[in-house]
Amino acid sequence: MVGNRFGTVFRWGLGDRHDPTTNRLSGVNHVISQTPWSTLSQLPLGNSGEKIHSLEELFQHYRNDQRAKFVIETRRVNGQLTQERELLQMVAKYGMQHRVYYESFVAPSLQLIRELNPSAKTMLLTNTKHIVTPEWIAQHPYITSFGTY
């Protein structure tokens, strides 16, 4: 990721697995993984004139709206778990611990999140090739739910 990971929530929401470019949402064709946040943050979303917001901006805006909940997907960055600690620090900074649900295809990411915050809600995303059995669930006690894609 380029720049501050939490200035790039857009990449988490889209990223290389969903939309590799900004074209669909902004009409401007930038490769997300190669574009600095300073550029991404200025792109319009459709015809609304709204700009892409960072995760910190979203937390600031919705801090006092208890109805607002967040689902954040974590991923490996260059094969490494690099975002979990800083992400949990930001969640705590804005008092969002009970309003965030973490999801990931990367089980070690969710395990680290639960080690750092045992009350965190986590969902392991699996693909349809993976069969979730009671034995498999028992091996993953840090997962609070499962989702198949």
Side-chain angles (χ1 to χ4, degrees):
M1 294 194 166
V2 177
N4 180 335
R5 283 184 295 283
F6 303 103
T8 57
V9 66
F10 180 71
R11 293 181 200 188
W12 294 346
L14 299 175
D16 294 332
R17 292 186 188 150
H18 299 284
D19 288 301
T21 72
T22 59
N23 193 48
R24 183 177 64 85
L25 288 179
S26 72
V28 179
N29 196 24
H30 289 288
V31 176
I32 295 168
S33 63
Q34 299 171 7
T35 305
W37 172 245
S38 60
T39 300
L40 291 175
S41 66
Q42 297 305 308
L43 295 176
L45 290 174
N47 295 327
S48 70
E50 185 81 20
K51 302 286 188 221
I52 298 168
H53 298 286
S54 70
L55 182 59
E56 185 157 24
E57 290 170 334
L58 292 172
F59 281 175
Q60 288 169 351
H61 182 79
Y62 290 103
R63 179 182 226 164
N64 297 319
D65 184 350
Q66 296 300 311
R67 299 170 299 166
K69 310 286 189 227
F70 300 87
V71 177
I72 300 173
E73 181 180 351
T74 60
R75 299 179 180 190
R76 291 185 192 270
V77 177
N78 297 322
Q80 303 295 312
L81 301 179
T82 61
Q83 56 191 222
E84 292 76 7
R85 290 180 197 283
E86 191 175 350
L87 174 59
L88 287 168
Q89 288 173 354
M90 181 179 292
V91 168
K93 175 181 175 181
Y94 288 96
M96 300 287 187
Q97 297 91 324
H98 301 292
R99 296 169 55 193
V100 172
Y101 206 101
Y102 303 93
E103 66 177 18
S104 186
F105 285 97
V106 183
S109 173
L110 299 177
Q111 183 174 6
L112 178 56
I113 287 169
R114 286 294 298 262
E115 287 171 5
L116 297 171
N117 178 2
S119 65
K121 295 180 183 112
T122 58
M123 176 187 289
L124 180 63
L125 303 174
T126 64
N127 58 38
T128 55
K129 296 183 283 186
H130 189 84
I131 298 172
V132 178
T133 63
E135 294 79 20
W136 191 86
I137 291 171
Q139 295 174 0
H140 299 85
Y142 48 88
I143 305 300
T144 57
S145 65
F146 297 88
T148 58
Y149 283 84

